[in-house]
Amino acid sequence: MRELTYLEAIKEAIRQVMKENEDVFMLGEDIGLYGGSFGLTRGLFEEFGKDRIRNTPIAEAALIGAAVGSAVTGMRPIAELMFSDFSTVAWDQIVNQAAKIRYQFGGKAKVPMVIRTAHGGGMGFAAQHSQSLEALFAHIPGLKVVMPSCPYDAKGLFIASVYDNNPVIFLEHKILYNNKKYSQHVPEEMYTIPLGKGEVKKSGKDLTLVATSYMVQKSLEVANELKDKMQIDCEVVDLRTIKPLDIDLVIESVKKTGRLVCVEEACSFGGFMGEVASQVAEFGFDYLDAPIVRVASKNCPVPYSYVLEQEMIPSSDRIKENILKVLGKA
Amino acid sequence: MKENNFKIANKFEKLSRDKKIEMLRKMYKIRHFEVEVDKFVLRGMIYGTCHLYTGEEASAVGAISAIDETDYIVSTHRGHGHCIAKGADLNIMMAELLGKGNGYCKGKGGSMHIADLDSNNLGANGIVGGGLGIAAGAALTCTLKKNNRVVIGFFGDGASNEGLFHEALNLASIWKLPVIYLCENNQYGMSTSVKESMNIDRVSKRAASYGIDGITIDGNNVIEVYNTVSHFAKRCREGVGTVLIESLTYRWRGHSKHDSQVYRTKEEVEEWKKLDPIKKYKEYLIENKLITEEEDKEIENTAIKEIKNAVAFAEKSEYPDISEVEKDVYSD
Ligand SMILES: Cc1ncc(C[n+]2csc(CCOP(=O)(O)OP(=O)(O)O)c2C)c(N)n1
Ligand SMILES: [Mg+2]
């Protein structure tokens, strides 16, 4: 069975939707001949030409604005922001325009667009190229936010995002792009994974780990190690999309395990897992046998130096320690 | 190239021999600094990314030599040259690039965020065009404090297509802020050529929108850069205000750590390399008997030695203590 990397899976999804639907096109910086900063669009320019793989000047506000305008008038744009940090340069177009248009026009317009962007740290890109900004997006009514953790999900979620009639922020973790360790079988045919449906990536009975994006992979590694070495059986829930949020799946899991550890890469203060924790506390309180614990990044900009960056971002050890703490084994 | 009607005095001529040689020395330092950074890149020792300034040395050195130590600069992601020209300590710079605790930013910034506040270098920037507003703000301080200082806001051709370019230049122009917006037009923003990203042939033409002076100069000619910036720095100090200088140059190396350079030909790169700003300047100095061939070699070798020392210094420096991670987020 063929295996694809995360990057290859997303690229295949783009190629297939573009072949299937003439209204889909891409715009972004250096996505043409150059093939994108991470090489994700390499080959697409040759295949679809410059009209449908549109290279833009360095102008995030205008390129997102152009995506919004074309979406409202019948296209299905895929806008690439090279790094999710640059969304801040286009913040008005995302937050006040894309997210608001449908509602403020009384439900009479729709904005079917995807903003694909590389996020997360762990690669030494420092403070302005490594952030995890998902909570900011998720906070805005009108936006959907997708955070795939693996190639299979990335493809299905991407196709679903393109066909969704709302602005979707599609956050791709840069550590996952080319790492063969995370390659997996991805069917050649097109398929979709509905936005708003999480998935249990590993079932277990002792404790629930809920995570997003790359932290799902880290959580799985920790869960497998604990199972092998300590017979601790964690369940790993991958939210896949944080908005809409599949809180039922998390509560279902907690019902079984009675314990919840939330893992995310963003800074802990105001992090999205605060929302998850509060909903579980509100709607699943009776199932909890221990306080909910969150493992997240420290509350600082992402530092450059490797040693500091590793200290900031949740490590396997930190996840492990918190699991043991919740289980009363620390 | 003569493309403007400004009467710009040859202030360079009046510089002392020492100052003229110092400019060559700085250009060599920048060139060889980048040689060593490149070696670190090949050895996998530059974490994240970095952007080399090789080939653009005349721009930083010409411009920064034309302002005073107390004046400010705002730099870009391609900032090593600006930093060195403004007088940064090579050891501390190199340490920062390796993420060491004694680097300029304690290892927290790296190449894209290197700043040396002591030399009034307000820092590199990972956000293209991100410094344009900051340059206006620093110039506003100069105006409010009436300290007669000026600011050079460096930015790239690509950055001139960002929205902030318009907002900042407009603001600076109406407030007559003492800021020299210096566009280092190295022909590309990452892979995208200037031709592909603008509908006009000169970034400097955009000055017309703000009613400020705009001028395009040979950015590989350190003397021309020096004279132009001197001229407009003086006018800034006289209260005339903002200017847009477009310095034509070329980035010899790939955009950043990884770049297949499919967007340009080897021939094009070779053509531009013939306009090597260092070669041009050293030949001028030799022709005008300011230095001999031997002295030139000596200057270059000294620069190389200094950079090697910086490499050794950086390599043996310690990484920051992990207790540093959440420090410096807020001021006391
Ligand atoms: C807001 C923003 N958009 C995009 C990028 C990615 N990026 C980094 S450098 C660069 C090219 C900048 O071109 P230019 O301004 O001409 O400077 P040069 O690299 O040529 O010195 C791009 C697109 C970024 N860092 N910030
Ligand atoms: Mg450029």
Side-chain angles (χ1 to χ4, degrees), chain B residues 156-158 184-189:
Chain B
D157 46 283
E184 301 186 296
N185 180 349
N186 58 8
Q187 319 303 325
Y188 294 90

Side-chain angles (χ1 to χ4, degrees), chain A residues 56-59 62, chain B residues 3 6 128-129 132 155-174 181-185 189 192-216 242-247:
Chain A
T56 70
I58 310 173
Chain B
E3 300 195 17
F6 295 97
V128 168
L132 290 158
F155 63 103
D157 46 283
S160 75
N161 298 315
E162 284 282 9
L164 189 58
F165 171 84
H166 170 67
E167 297 190 24
L169 269 77
N170 184 58
L171 191 76
S173 74
I174 57 168
Y181 280 112
L182 200 147
C183 177
E184 301 186 296
N185 180 349
T192 307
S193 70
V194 170
K195 280 192 200 73
E196 203 186 328
S197 57
M198 314 186 321
N199 207 21
I200 49 174
D201 60 346
R202 290 279 178 251
V203 172
S204 64
K205 285 187 179 168
R206 293 182 169 172
S209 314
Y210 313 106
I212 59 173
D213 287 333
I215 179 172
T216 299
T242 316
V243 60
L244 173 58
I245 300 175
E246 176 184 24
S247 169

Side-chain angles (χ1 to χ4, degrees), chain A residues 209 215 218-219 221-223 225-226 229-230 261 263 293-296 298 310-311 313-326 330, chain B residues 322:
Chain A
L209 280 172
M215 286 298 145
K218 274 211 163 168
S219 298
E221 283 160 22
V222 171
E225 189 194 323
L226 287 178
K229 293 199 182 140
M230 299 181 74
V261 173
V263 189
V293 164
R294 290 165 55 203
V295 186
K298 305 226 156 139
Q310 291 302 308
E311 178 63 14
I313 296 172
S315 61
S316 302
D317 283 346
R318 212 148 93 208
I319 299 171
K320 219 178 298 170
E321 279 159 27
N322 279 284
I323 292 172
L324 297 178
K325 190 173 86 186
V326 172
Chain B
I322 52 173

Side-chain angles (χ1 to χ4, degrees), chain A residues 210 247 250-252 254-255 259-260 262 273-288 292:
Chain A
V210 59
I247 198 67
V250 183
I251 292 176
E252 212 41 52
V254 172
K255 206 186 253 181
R259 292 179 160 81
L260 179 63
C262 308
M273 286 300 173
E275 177 69 29
V276 174
S278 97
Q279 290 203 24
V280 172
E282 195 172 344
F283 306 116
F285 187 74
D286 292 344
Y287 311 126
L288 286 167
I292 300 168

Side-chain angles (χ1 to χ4, degrees), chain A residues 16-242:
Chain A
Q16 291 178 342
V17 277
M18 285 192 60
K19 274 196 179 148
E20 183 176 82
N21 189 319
E22 293 260 298
D23 292 337
V24 180
F25 71 99
M26 267 198 85
L27 71 173
E29 293 159 14
D30 302 287
I31 64 168
L33 183 63
Y34 189 65
S37 194
F38 293 91
L40 197 141
T41 58
R42 210 165 282 156
L44 296 179
F45 182 73
E46 289 81 351
E47 190 173 343
F48 295 102
K50 64 177 176 17
D51 286 345
R52 294 186 70 200
I53 302 289
R54 300 188 80 89
N55 216 38
T56 70
I58 310 173
E60 290 76 18
L63 87 86
I64 297 298
V68 175
S70 67
V72 176
T73 48
M75 305 299 287
R76 288 192 176 274
I78 302 166
E80 175 175 310
L81 285 175
M82 208 179 276
F83 287 77
S84 72
D85 314 67
F86 309 160
S87 64
T88 57
V89 181
W91 204 229
D92 166 66
Q93 298 297 304
I94 298 170
V95 175
N96 291 320
Q97 314 304 333
K100 301 294 192 284
I101 281 180
R102 180 170 179 83
Y103 187 83
Q104 71 189 5
F105 294 169
K108 289 188 180 139
K110 57 183 187 198
V111 191
M113 61 182 275
V114 180
I115 299 176
R116 296 186 31 241
T117 186
H119 83 129
M123 293 181 79
F125 288 124
Q128 298 170 336
H129 288 69
S130 306
Q131 296 170 88
S132 297
L133 299 175
E134 62 269 22
L136 300 190
F137 296 115
H139 185 63
I140 308 298
L143 299 180
K144 294 190 176 181
V145 186
V146 182
M147 301 182 73
S149 68
C150 60
Y152 179 89
D153 288 359
K155 179 172 174 181
L157 289 166
F158 191 82
I159 296 173
S161 298
V162 173
Y163 285 116
D164 195 282
N165 284 327
N166 298 283
V168 177
I169 311 294
F170 196 86
L171 298 170
E172 303 166 4
H173 203 295
K174 38 182 112 68
I175 282 195
L176 296 174
Y177 274 145
N178 293 310
N179 196 332
K180 292 257 189 319
K181 183 167 143 194
Y182 306 116
S183 290
Q184 66 182 160
H185 171 61
V186 176
E188 231 165 307
E189 61 273 15
M190 289 177 83
Y191 59 94
T192 57
I193 293 172
L195 307 190
K197 283 270 165 265
E199 187 181 54
V200 173
K201 284 278 181 333
K202 174 190 171 302
S203 62
K205 57 179 180 3
D206 296 334
L207 177 145
T208 300
L209 280 172
V210 59
T212 49
S213 190
Y214 176 52
M215 286 298 145
V216 172
Q217 299 288 1
K218 274 211 163 168
S219 298
L220 279 169
E221 283 160 22
V222 171
N224 288 329
E225 189 194 323
L226 287 178
K227 179 135 196 229
D228 290 348
K229 293 199 182 140
M230 299 181 74
Q231 286 76 49
I232 294 172
D233 192 14
C234 296
E235 177 148 307
V236 179
V237 176
D238 179 358
L239 292 177
R240 297 203 293 201
T241 65
I242 60 167

Side-chain angles (χ1 to χ4, degrees), chain B residues 279-295:
Chain B
K279 186 162 168 280
K280 191 177 199 149
Y281 186 49
K282 109 182 163 194
E283 283 171 1
Y284 167 91
L285 293 177
I286 293 170
E287 260 166 43
N288 287 275
K289 309 223 173 337
L290 289 154
I291 55 169
T292 61
E293 293 272 3
E294 293 69 49
E295 281 168 324

